[in-house]
Amino acid sequence: DTGVSQDPRHKITKRGQNVTFRCDPISEHNRLYWYRQTLGQGPEFLTYFQNEAQLEKSRLLSDRFSAERPKGSFSTLEIQRTEQGDSAMYLCASSPLPGLNTEAFFGQGTRLTVV
Amino acid sequence: GESVGLHLPTLSVQEGDNSIINCAYSNSASDYFIWYKQESGKGPQFIIDIRSNMDKRQGQRVTVLLNKTVKHLSLQIAATQPGDSAVYFCAESGATNKLIFGTGTLLAVQP
């Protein structure tokens, strides 16, 4: 499967715990995006990388959230001290060429439930 | 299973009919638009895109229309099938390819 891969698919955690999600983009895609989606809503932009550089972060991304893409390939999204409001689907997407309007391909998402 | 379509506008059509899903976008500077299909528990799946220098683009059974004057986008699905049942999102973007998604429309195809 050469699509965007996300791990884990589901995560249940207790409030206050830290969680980390991984995204493996389509090979050689320069851009990688993280989105969050709550039930009944469209995905909301969190942050994006061009290669290893994090170029933009949404105001939705509080200090408890951090994302990395150390080698310009896979990316991780960490949430510290999780809160019930963090429960959502976390989606990763990648796109091939910077500066051109090409579609972003999404992974299947990681469903986070904070109890 | 989960219901992605809670609180979403719903379009109910009969199998074989044509469907039209509408979307109003927000940023007049957006120059690229995409329609995504999302089935319950899955990530959004690309359907069709259109650039701002076009007003119509056709794919297999799908057509996207863009009206920049009123910032309106529509998706037409011909001969709608049960497998088309899903939530449909329009998305807009500019130079960064950062996508801004609309609210979504639940398409329910009745056999």
Side-chain angles (χ1 to χ4, degrees):
Chain A
D1 186 349
T2 57
V4 178
S5 177
Q6 292 188 247
D7 182 70
R9 290 293 310 278
H10 303 273
K11 178 70 176 178
I12 300 174
T13 191
K14 292 183 178 179
R15 187 173 50 189
Q17 297 295 305
N18 299 343
V19 294
T20 300
F21 310 141
R22 178 181 170 120
C23 172
D24 287 272
I26 293 173
S27 180
E28 298 181 353
H29 273 193
N30 300 90
R31 292 197 167 180
L32 186 149
Y33 308 81
W34 284 99
Y35 289 81
R36 180 173 69 188
Q37 185 177 28
T38 53
L39 208 59
Q41 301 295 318
E44 297 173 296
F45 171 79
L46 293 178
T47 188
Y48 93 94
F49 293 83
Q50 181 166 311
N51 300 316
E52 67 276 8
Q54 188 173 17
L55 297 187
E56 187 174 347
K57 293 194 293 186
S58 163
R59 284 174 292 181
L60 293 174
L61 213 65
S62 76
D63 291 345
R64 297 184 298 105
F65 287 70
S66 62
E68 295 182 344
R69 194 184 184 197
K71 298 181 180 179
S73 56
F74 74 92
S75 176
T76 57
L77 177 68
E78 180 183 16
I79 309 174
Q80 296 181 327
R81 306 181 301 282
T82 52
E83 302 173 356
Q84 287 189 322
D86 297 331
S87 295
M89 174 80 86
Y90 289 85
L91 293 162
C92 176
S94 68
S95 65
L97 296 172
L100 298 178
N101 292 329
T102 55
E103 68 269 24
F105 296 87
F106 282 83
Q108 298 287 45
T110 294
R111 167 69 66 189
L112 174 66
T113 303
V114 182
V115 298
Chain B
E2 66 182 44
S3 175
V4 177
L6 283 175
H7 311 300
L8 290 172
T10 299
L11 175 65
S12 185
V13 300
Q14 291 293 319
E15 182 179 359
D17 287 352
N18 296 333
S19 302
I20 299 176
I21 301 172
N22 296 303
C23 174
Y25 64 93
S26 57
N27 188 349
S28 57
S30 293
D31 56 8
Y32 182 56
F33 306 89
I34 309 175
W35 280 99
Y36 283 93
K37 172 186 179 184
Q38 188 174 29
E39 297 173 299
S40 185
K42 296 185 178 180
Q45 176 187 357
F46 171 85
I47 301 174
I48 191 168
D49 59 0
I50 189 168
R51 292 178 172 77
S52 59
N53 61 351
M54 304 171 68
D55 54 21
K56 179 179 181 180
R57 190 165 187 222
Q58 288 184 293
Q60 187 177 13
R61 282 201 310 120
V62 294
T63 300
V64 55
L65 299 177
L66 174 63
N67 185 330
K68 294 181 289 293
T69 303
V70 295
K71 293 190 289 186
H72 183 267
L73 200 63
S74 69
L75 176 70
Q76 301 176 0
I77 303 174
T80 313
Q81 302 169 1
D84 295 328
S85 294
V87 178
Y88 289 80
F89 292 99
C90 68
E92 58 182 302
S93 80
T96 65
N97 284 19
K98 178 180 72 176
L99 294 169
I100 306 298
F101 283 81
T103 303
T105 297
L106 174 62
L107 176 64
V109 181
Q110 309 301 323

